[in-house]
Amino acid sequence: MLWDHFLLRKEEEFQKRVKGLGLLLMAGFGLVLLRLIYLQLFQGGVFFELSARNRVRLIPIKAQRGLIYDRHKELMAGNVPSFNVSLIPAALPADPTARQQEYALLQKLLALDDNEVEEKLNRRRFRFFEPLRLKGNLDRITAALMEEHKPELPGMMVLTESQRFYKNESLGFHVLGYVGEISERDLALREGYQAGDIVGQSGVEKIYDHYLKGRNGWLHIEVDAHGRQLGILGREDPWTGHNLVLTLDRKLQAAAEETLGERRGTIIVEDVRNGEVLALASSPTYNPNVFARGIPKDEWAKLLANKDFPLTNRAIQGLYPPGSIFKIVTLTGALQDKFIDPQHTFLCKGIYWISTWPYRCWNDSGHGMVDARRSLIESCDIYYYQVGLKLKVEKLAQWARRFGYGYPTGIDLPNELAGLVPTAQWKERTQNMPWFPGNTVMFSIGQGYMMATPMQILGTLCAAANSGVIYRPHLLREVMSSSGRIIHEVKPEIMFRVTASADVWSLVQRSLTDVVNSKRGTGKQARLVNIKVAGKTATAQNPHGEDHAAFGAFAPADKPEIAVLIYLENAGGGGAEAAPLARKVMEAYFGITTGEMVEAK
Amino acid sequence: MESQPGKWWKRSKGSGWSLNLGVDISVLLPALALSLLGVAMVYSATQAKPEMAHLYLKQLTWIGIGCVGMLFFSSLNYQVLMQRYAYPAYWALVVLLAILLAAGQEVAGSKRWMSLGPVSLQPSEFAKIATTLVLAKYLSSRQDRVRSWDTVVGAFLLGGLPMLLILKEPDLGTALLFMTMVFVLLYTVGVPLKRLLTIVGGGILASPLIWMMLKEYQRKRLMVFLNPNADTLGSGYNVIQSKIAIGSGQLMGKGWLAGTQGQLKFVPEHHTDFIFSVLAEEWGFVGSVALLVLFLIFILQALRVARGARDLQGQLIAIGLTTILAAQVLINLGVATGILPATGITLPLISYGGSSLLTTYCIIGILMNIWSNRIVK
């Protein structure tokens, strides 16, 4: 009874104290409320004025883009200072006529199209307080002129920033890529970017943009009603982007581009021992500095209409029949899977009949009795027709895949194509027609439906050189911070390992050496004086015109360092047109590495 | 539904866990309304910086995670929670805070964050709950000796241990919350007000000593509080800009996404500590009062839970948790409006931050459980 009474008293005491607590809290809220009444209702007008006069502008300080070097740390892409004119939409006059006047004046001073300012403004739907770039790459006189007109142009600012500059102009265009202002669409899709940011649009500039871009800083400046700067209130420093060291060799790249000249096609040089791409030329090419300066509309339209597609990187975006270089794949597969032995001969009479359909050898008079070695050296088509018919389409497709056909190589460039390895099911599905033996014979010599990128075709040479090992081709060696610290180092990565016996590889390698070095070889024109070259020619028919000429090589034949692929569109025969170019490129490589000129006889 | 206090749960499932979907709307509804208001504010506060523009989605995700935590705690009988988990959780968090101090990574000058893969958590947030539980358990076990000094000292030791660790992070604001909570619990459990005031007086006398212990920036903040106009670009700058933002909202505000102060990034940290300034600027006095009313309803409902609790333990838990939330709200609003010095405390349910949201929802869950186990008269 007494205990109950005690508990009850305790309970009363507790309830009393909780009530007290509640009152205390309400008093706290009351205090905040009073404060709000004071700030918002009594002083609201004053503070509103203050906020309206709070003319602090936040000007992004664009980060310096990282530099791009070749493998010997020679600069390929740097930055130069430039002026641009930007507009802060929120600072424009509220009155429509005054606004139109400002647009007109801006268009006149900057030599822009009518309504261009308004169009640009309309494209920006948010972020009214961030500067909108009207025109970049201003010369000093225009920049000074704009500064003069500043009082009449509220919201206008002349900003200094760094502009991409490619020292060697178009050299390495398809590897480096180009830069441009980020599109409104990308701005919405990608995290961590601001309006007006310059981003990579293709090449390593695009794929490694996250390394290169750095991070923007901010400048808080105070301005008066006329937009004149009164002082700097604060600053967040930008972070300079990281630098890239590529696998490319600038001199070899120059030699490759010079060798390729005006021809439509591509030249790739790769270190077979680790997949480093030493040179990658694609022609026609373009000067990325045009983009960095801001490409004029009509120039852009012309570029898009160009039937030779200068922006296409033919090494990874061109799809071609691999032609006779594919014979390496067919032969390796047939020997390894014991469909034939190396001594087995087939008769070539220059023409091969499948029922009533004739399939010709490139050599009309025929090669006679041909064994495995001769078939490669003299590139006898009819040998491969018969080998192909033994392998059948499934096996051919399987071996093509083992060599990496049908898969993108994964090189560090954007928008690489995968090519096509045809199968019976594929033909059934896409063309609603059965697979014919005639399709198989074309497949066996790398023609017909088979499609590959030159980068994939180069893989076949790498496999032959390395007895089956194909490294993933790559362009990046390392990423360095602006202070020189190494952020990331690229390690060689084995992409495919084609399994075949040592005898098979040895036979393939000896045959390929003879393609270049024997009297009857098709690739004699790639011969070097003191270094043994192995290679394979290809002359690929195509329904759209003259044959494509191609030549793949590796050297030195007994201890391979590099693989080279030449692929020329509509140029004619591989032995006559492509092989001499391979020789020139290899001369350049060995001349560069040994320090002395290597001359052909 | 009369039963023996403290025993009845033994008759239910052994784990003390039974899914409780009988949600107590009166606490939850204002909390949900505040959370959604918070998402709208975080959205507005982050749109100017593209790299933060997606934070509102994260905030929404955390609300979802918070609701799961809430359901968990509302389904776990609080007496079981106290019996089995209060002390283990408390000690685990104390150890975690110590590890964080010793080996944690410093972010923006303090070691508050613990990185767990993609998310960073603030153990100090969870320590709020664990410390409250432990204190409630301690004090209810010494119910008959509350007036003795050793009870008071014990409570200060229990509350002081995590508090000191958090103070050392350094996070002055959160540490103050712990102190407030200890005082309020001692008061409600029946310690005479005079004794508590004596302690406060002692603290004031010891303040020169504390001043020496404070970090440079904490001293600066106090100084700035005394005269905000002295340092317009340092800590005082935040407060002035926040006051301009709030005041310029006037009666009706400038409209959502249209606040020039917030959008221009004059107010720093305005998606966390100063988020109230965004709301007050964009939605004006009307919006600010609506926020105050929602918080008041939320807190008074939480106190109602405390008054209805079945036992002293439940009462103290509810009081302690409510105190922490209420103090946080009042301190944050006080800082934003310039009544209090800047302490770096977030506004519960509104500010951006996963740990804070999760903690608040867990608190709601515990309150719901205490309420559903009340003695219905």
Side-chain angles (χ1 to χ4, degrees), chain A residues 176-304:
Chain A
L176 298 176
Y178 60 95
V179 295
E181 194 176 331
I182 189 166
S183 65
E184 290 287 319
R185 192 176 142 269
D186 275 359
L187 206 50
L189 291 178
R190 291 159 75 177
E191 250 176 53
Y193 288 89
Q194 285 168 3
D197 275 359
I198 298 296
V199 295
Q201 306 282 2
S202 76
V204 293
E205 290 271 29
K206 179 171 185 179
I207 210 154
Y208 293 122
D209 195 65
H210 56 290
Y211 283 132
L212 291 164
K213 73 180 166 109
R215 215 175 80 181
N216 291 342
W218 295 95
L219 198 61
H220 307 228
I221 63 168
E222 194 183 0
V223 294
D224 66 10
H226 302 291
R228 278 188 296 252
Q229 183 173 332
L230 296 177
I232 292 172
L233 296 176
R235 184 186 163 93
E236 286 171 52
D237 283 321
W239 295 358
T240 304
H242 296 318
N243 300 335
L244 304 184
V245 178
L246 300 183
T247 59
L248 230 50
D249 182 309
R250 191 187 61 79
K251 283 188 194 150
L252 192 63
Q253 175 73 24
E257 289 190 16
E258 198 185 315
T259 306
L260 189 55
E262 300 288 302
R263 301 174 183 87
R264 267 183 295 117
T266 177
I267 295 182
I268 315 169
V269 185
E270 183 184 317
D271 191 325
V272 296
R273 297 164 298 185
N274 49 29
E276 293 185 350
V277 177
L278 303 174
L280 189 160
S282 173
S283 169
T285 183
Y286 199 73
N287 186 348
N289 283 326
V290 176
F291 291 103
R293 285 183 210 120
I295 186 165
K297 261 191 203 155
D298 49 336
E299 180 71 27
W300 178 238
K302 230 164 70 189
L303 193 55
L304 290 184

Side-chain angles (χ1 to χ4, degrees), chain A residues 15 17 35 54 56 58 233, chain B residues 187 233 264 266 307 337:
Chain A
Q15 296 290 356
R17 291 197 167 202
R35 182 71 174 173
N54 210 339
V56 176
L58 268 117
L233 296 176
Chain B
Y187 170 71
L233 260 180
L264 277 171
F266 287 136
R307 294 176 62 179
T337 52

Side-chain angles (χ1 to χ4, degrees), chain A residues 316-362:
Chain A
I316 58 159
Q317 295 168 325
L319 286 184
Y320 308 100
S324 298
I325 297 176
F326 189 74
K327 286 173 183 167
I328 298 171
V329 178
T330 309
L331 187 66
T332 309
L335 291 174
Q336 174 65 19
D337 287 352
K338 306 268 190 272
F339 283 95
I340 49 167
D341 61 56
Q343 287 73 42
H344 189 99
T345 54
F346 290 100
L347 178 64
C348 168
K349 291 184 293 185
I351 196 158
Y352 182 78
W353 292 90
I354 298 178
S355 67
T356 55
W357 298 85
Y359 288 89
R360 292 173 191 284
C361 186
W362 64 271

Side-chain angles (χ1 to χ4, degrees), chain B residues 71 111 125 140-141 206 220 279 297 308 364:
Chain B
L71 275 181
K111 293 180 179 174
E125 288 290 334
S140 61
S141 74
K220 216 167 117 190
L279 177 124
I297 293 175
I364 296 170

Side-chain angles (χ1 to χ4, degrees), chain A residues 174-177 202-205 207-208 280 313 315-316 410-416 455 475:
Chain A
H174 290 102
V175 170
L176 298 176
S202 76
V204 293
E205 290 271 29
I207 210 154
Y208 293 122
L280 189 160
N313 184 348
I316 58 159
I411 189 174
D412 36 0
L413 285 174
N415 306 322
E416 188 190 5
M455 195 54 89
L475 286 156

